[in-house]
Amino acid sequence: MRTWGSFVLMQSRRLLSRQALVVGSSLLITSCSGNNGQTDAESVTSGAASSSTSMGLIDDARIQNADSEPGNWLAYGRDFEEQRFSPLTQINKESVERLGLEFEVDVYTNGALEATPLMVDNTLYFTTTFSVLHAVNATTGERVWTYDPQVPRDFSRRACCGPISRGAAVYQGNVYLATLDGRLVAINAETGERVWEVNTVIDPERNYSITGAPRVARGKVFIGNGGAEFGVRGYVTAYDAATGEQAWRFFTVPGDPSLPFEHPEMEMAAETWKGGQWWDIGGGGTVWNSIVYDPDFNHLYLGVGNGAPWVRVIRSPGGGDNLFLTSIVAVDADTGEMKWYYQTVPGDNWDYTAVQDMMLADMTVDGVDRKVIMQAPKNGFFYVLDRSDGELLRAHPYSQVTWATHVDMSTGRPVENTELDFFERPQWILPGPLGGHDWQAMSFNEAKGIMYLPTQDAAFLYSVDSEFKATGIFKRNPGTLNLGVDLKNGLTLAEQYADEQPASKGNLIAFDPLTGETKWSVEHPFYWNSGVLATAGDLVFQGDALGFFSAYDADTGEKLWAHNNYVAMLAPPITYAIDGKQYIAILAGAGATITNFFGSMEDVATMKYGNFGKLYVYALDGNVVLQQPAIVDRSIPEPPPLTATAAELKQGEQFYMSLCVGCHGGAAVSSGVLPDLRLLTPAKHGIFQQIVIDGMLAPTGMASFADVLTPQEAEYVRQFIISRAIIDRATAMGGI
Ligand code: CA
């Protein structure tokens, strides 16, 4: 029996540990027309006519000269530079108060939407969960065609952060789609029919996935993959855009040392990996988000991810930088031969990927005209590099950073904070594995020299796998995550170290990459918000976890307009123009993995209303009115009896924290997207084994876990869920 005293203590700790675990769990890891009313004077663009109806194939010249057709959004970051800055000005500081919803498109999913829509010649192309590709009319929302690559729905268990997709590419008459299960598909842009398909996966026994958008240039399609946490080795492949024939492949980390090097760069990289069996665990270094083509140098920049496992003493016990983890690697776009690299975090220990969006610009730095590449990777420093040779020009912190004191500009290396070594004891460290900034798009106003950047301060309690500490042995588990941190005891540790946890928050900041100055900052109550769009109308658009889509004054950060969509947003907005009318579009719908825990979740849209995937498109005088959805009843029903012993419950907790937490939430509190297991009905409790072991709900995305759980162990998990339901019911914490 617990006393009231211990209940109160438990509750206050849990209030803190909820925030904590947000981060831990997330990683697990993851129509109608309005009156336009415009006069000719209010032209859509600053000088250039809308050319959104121009016809013809998308080619390199068109992407490179995207400013000459500002009505279109031709590529992931709009053009090759990927600045995501639109020259359109019809929607501006003065007119934005007239902005309203023009139409919405239901995309039939309650999963996370992260894609950048493309708008080409009056058609919007975007991807949704399980890599479904949609083509819709950009002025009415009418469906043109849909392509479903038939990703097996239970494949979601094999991707860290849900069955998400960040977009497609349009090029030479095709739309290029990369699927969650690792295929690259060319689809005829007009008809929606498949032209060719290749499987990019080199080892089907490993959990390779793709969530990133392909990039196109030089007659080729470029694609990487994800899966580091599951134990894969990263690489990027170039395919002929017309035929799908492989042109080249660049591995990002060395493989089995008993086998020949695939290319010379691997021999160089292998010298920086020492001891251990990284190739068996996987090595990591996946390029799961950013690949940028640079026509000035014919470079292709690869943003390389974290090590697998995260903890370096497990991965490479003899030390070493572990190239090319957490690096920006420049390769020749035609051959894949490396030109230069810059490693942000030598010997990565924290899941500090350098996969975040990269951006090209021309800039005067210390009086010298430079062609630069910029990135705000997870590690909290904002990098400006010369893209001719990779020279480090700037590395100012853009968020709270405790893992390092600074970047030494003479060596280009970060200076680690040795006080936060987490081998002997767990340590709260900033940024956590969500990064100070993650994949959510930033946007750059080149004229102002200001980057609009979605950031977060979300600490993580780093620890080292308890079995490894006891035995010195780490065995890859093919069925689940291989992080090297003490995930299975994460809940217990978070409660134990709750008093040391830094506060969490999210921000939209206006950041000067050269001076490191934050010109203004808007604080969000919750830290996981949408990507950003900046326009020549001097506006910055962003959606948030509460369900509001807002426009801010680019110079001051003042909120000038907001619209309640009643659904949380992660994806970046885009803008386009057709027949003299400017539109803003954003995909809405948050994820299960990331939104698991907020400090208080009461106001989070997924908790209030659930989650429903939509494309929202706005224009001046748009007049579609959204109905407020019903508030979801998240009260916890009377749970079945708790029959497990304390030892069995502990086992149930450890299995839950290792296997279930990524989708259903830390301490069994879900984000409101996927089922909150504390709310299971007696009927669902009755078929728990059929669901978890037999895979009864596999067609809906809930895979069987029979390969990693015995029926008895599944019962321990159920008992743990019951125990959490009992505690949260008693403490009136309910669904939140
Ligand atoms: Ca990672």
Side-chain angles (χ1 to χ4, degrees):
M1 277 281 291
R2 281 200 178 85
T3 65
W4 273 110
S6 68
F7 249 140
V8 172
L9 177 63
M10 180 95 188
Q11 188 177 355
S12 64
R13 277 184 172 169
R14 288 189 54 253
L15 283 168
L16 289 164
S17 65
R18 270 161 199 271
Q19 285 192 337
L21 280 177
V22 158
V23 183
S25 55
S26 67
L27 292 178
L28 298 182
I29 21 238
T30 286
S31 67
C32 82
S33 291
N35 296 320
N36 184 357
Q38 293 305 292
T39 64
D40 288 342
E42 291 175 295
S43 71
V44 172
T45 72
S46 48
S50 165
S51 55
S52 58
T53 52
S54 66
M55 298 300 286
L57 299 180
I58 304 297
D59 57 15
D60 289 39
R62 220 173 138 186
I63 299 173
Q64 191 168 354
N65 299 314
D67 279 355
S68 69
E69 45 178 313
N72 281 325
W73 191 285
L74 297 174
Y76 187 75
R78 200 178 74 86
D79 60 9
F80 283 135
E81 292 186 317
E82 300 213 2
Q83 293 182 359
R84 288 179 178 267
F85 180 83
S86 171
L88 298 178
T89 58
Q90 186 179 75
I91 300 167
N92 55 44
K93 284 187 197 185
E94 284 69 42
S95 65
V96 70
E97 63 179 13
R98 287 167 43 213
L99 194 60
L101 186 62
E102 181 80 3
F103 63 87
E104 59 176 315
V105 179
D106 195 334
V107 295
Y108 308 108
T109 178
N110 65 351
L113 300 183
E114 299 188 355
T116 298
L118 308 177
M119 207 299 284
V120 184
D121 302 340
N122 294 0
T123 304
L124 285 160
Y125 301 95
F126 58 90
T127 55
T128 56
T129 46
F130 295 104
S131 324
V132 175
L133 174 63
H134 304 255
V136 304
N137 181 299
T139 56
T140 65
E142 253 172 81
R143 198 163 286 278
V144 179
W145 51 256
T146 305
Y147 183 87
D148 183 346
Q150 302 293 331
V151 173
R153 274 16 182 190
D154 59 353
F155 198 90
S156 53
R157 200 193 126 187
R158 301 174 63 178
C160 86
C161 306
I164 52 101
S165 167
R166 278 181 297 278
V170 177
Y171 193 56
Q172 297 180 347
N174 291 333
V175 187
Y176 295 92
L177 171 71
T179 69
L180 188 69
D181 55 354
R183 291 170 285 148
L184 180 66
V185 192
I187 296 145
N188 183 293
E190 268 184 39
T191 65
E193 283 164 10
R194 188 173 72 184
V195 178
W196 55 255
E197 174 177 310
V198 294
N199 192 339
T200 73
V201 174
I202 56 170
D203 181 354
E205 299 301 310
R206 303 259 178 165
N207 286 343
Y208 278 101
S209 56
I210 303 181
T211 58
R215 302 302 203 279
V216 288
R218 304 283 292 179
K220 295 184 180 63
V221 189
F222 309 102
I223 191 69
N225 46 55
E229 278 71 19
F230 284 92
V232 306
R233 178 188 181 198
Y235 56 90
V236 169
T237 316
Y239 296 93
D240 184 285
T243 64
E245 192 187 337
Q246 183 175 322
W248 53 258
R249 173 167 286 155
F250 184 90
F251 285 93
T252 56
V253 296
D256 184 340
S258 70
L259 299 174
F261 297 114
E262 290 86 352
H263 45 87
E265 294 86 352
M266 284 298 93
E267 184 169 5
M268 168 196 178
E271 288 167 12
T272 67
W273 294 67
K274 298 178 166 57
Q277 298 222 313
W278 72 85
W279 63 93
D280 178 57
I281 303 169
T286 52
V287 179
W288 56 261
N289 183 52
S290 190
I291 298 172
V292 174
Y293 175 67
D294 180 348
D296 289 331
F297 300 99
N298 199 34
H299 287 166
L300 192 72
Y301 304 107
L302 316 179
V304 184
N306 57 278
W310 292 354
V311 175
R312 64 182 168 210
V313 292
I314 301 175
R315 190 179 67 238
S316 185
D321 289 351
N322 294 183
L323 293 173
F324 295 98
L325 295 181
T326 67
S327 299
I328 296 173
V329 178
V331 302
D332 183 285
D334 295 334
T335 64
E337 183 195 346
M338 190 170 76
K339 294 300 181 183
W340 55 259
Y341 72 92
Y342 175 78
Q343 188 175 38
T344 59
V345 185
D348 172 41
N349 206 19
W350 305 269
D351 186 29
Y352 285 160
T353 67
V355 308
Q356 283 55 46
D357 283 5
M358 295 179 286
M359 196 178 277
L360 312 183
D362 296 333
M363 233 180 224
T364 304
V365 183
D366 304 327
V368 180
D369 289 342
R370 300 268 195 172
K371 292 189 177 299
V372 303
I373 182 168
M374 296 183 280
Q375 188 189 46
K378 280 184 180 178
N379 75 9
F381 292 102
F382 193 105
Y383 294 87
V384 182
L385 307 175
D386 187 314
R387 57 188 148 102
S388 69
D389 58 4
E391 182 189 346
L392 177 66
L393 302 174
R394 291 290 189 276
H396 293 294
Y398 65 83
S399 69
Q400 282 193 67
V401 176
T402 64
W403 72 277
T405 57
H406 64 288
V407 175
D408 181 331
M409 294 302 290
S410 61
T411 63
R413 298 172 72 94
V415 180
E416 290 183 20
N417 178 359
T418 50
E419 286 176 14
L420 290 183
D421 181 278
F422 57 87
F423 191 85
E424 293 304 326
R425 57 153 283 180
Q427 301 276 7
W428 290 104
I429 295 173
L430 281 158
L434 286 185
H437 161 242
D438 204 344
W439 59 268
Q440 285 94 334
M442 55 187 186
S443 183
F444 186 56
N445 185 322
E446 197 167 31
K448 294 180 197 289
I450 295 297
M451 189 73 72
Y452 301 97
L453 180 64
T455 65
Q456 59 245 348
D457 295 314
F460 180 71
L461 186 65
Y462 287 86
S463 58
V464 175
D465 183 85
S466 51
E467 274 171 43
F468 174 78
K469 280 178 78 168
T471 64
I473 295 166
F474 184 87
K475 230 175 137 341
R476 178 172 66 93
N477 185 340
T480 184
L481 302 171
N482 295 268
L483 308 185
V485 299
D486 199 2
L487 195 61
K488 61 180 187 296
N489 293 308
L491 179 60
T492 304
L493 292 173
E495 285 177 353
Q496 194 180 336
Y497 291 92
D499 296 346
E500 300 176 9
Q501 187 200 350
S504 302
K505 64 180 171 61
N507 285 87
L508 168 62
I509 65 171
F511 183 82
D512 184 329
L514 292 183
T515 65
E517 185 188 351
T518 294
K519 300 280 187 185
W520 54 257
S521 175
V522 172
E523 186 167 327
H524 295 300
F526 305 113
Y527 53 77
W528 197 243
N529 301 292
S530 96
V532 173
L533 166 72
T535 73
D538 269 345
L539 295 172
V540 180
F541 291 90
Q542 188 188 28
D544 64 35
L546 274 57
F548 288 89
F549 182 51
S550 303
Y552 301 91
D553 183 321
D555 296 315
T556 65
E558 183 191 350
K559 188 186 284 191
L560 299 177
W561 172 87
H563 188 269
N564 195 349
N565 288 339
Y566 305 108
V567 58
M569 281 151 282
L570 301 173
I574 64 153
T575 186
Y576 58 92
I578 295 170
D579 295 335
K581 181 168 175 174
Q582 185 183 355
Y583 300 82
I584 311 273
I586 186 168
L587 282 161
T593 41
I594 297 307
T595 48
N596 275 331
F597 281 91
F598 295 102
S600 160
M601 296 182 66
E602 275 173 59
D603 296 328
V604 174
T606 53
M607 297 299 287
K608 280 169 87 168
Y609 310 117
N611 203 39
F612 41 92
K614 296 272 190 184
L615 175 75
Y616 291 114
V617 179
Y618 306 85
L620 294 185
D621 305 316
N623 57 10
V624 174
V625 177
L626 291 178
Q627 296 298 317
Q628 179 173 340
I631 304 285
V632 177
D633 177 9
R634 299 180 61 79
S635 53
I636 300 174
E638 169 89 41
L642 183 66
T643 57
T645 65
E648 290 167 350
L649 263 190
K650 186 70 193 170
Q651 278 199 62
E653 176 186 328
Q654 293 186 335
F655 281 120
Y656 180 92
M657 291 301 293
S658 307
L659 300 171
C660 318
V661 67
C663 292
H664 294 286
V669 182
S670 102
S671 65
V673 176
L674 291 177
D676 189 313
L677 301 178
R678 300 167 308 158
L679 276 57
L680 286 184
T681 59
K684 281 276 169 62
H685 274 284
I687 55 170
F688 195 83
Q689 291 284 331
Q690 285 95 314
I691 295 170
V692 175
I693 300 298
D694 301 341
M696 182 191 218
L697 298 182
T700 70
M702 171 60 201
S704 163
F705 283 76
D707 58 326
V708 284
L709 284 177
T710 65
Q712 186 63 60
E713 289 164 347
E715 173 58 16
Y716 297 159
V717 170
R718 193 179 75 91
Q719 289 287 320
F720 169 70
I721 292 162
I722 292 170
S723 75
R724 299 313 301 191
I726 291 170
I727 291 168
D728 290 345
R729 223 167 166 254
T731 54
M733 298 191 67
I736 47 176

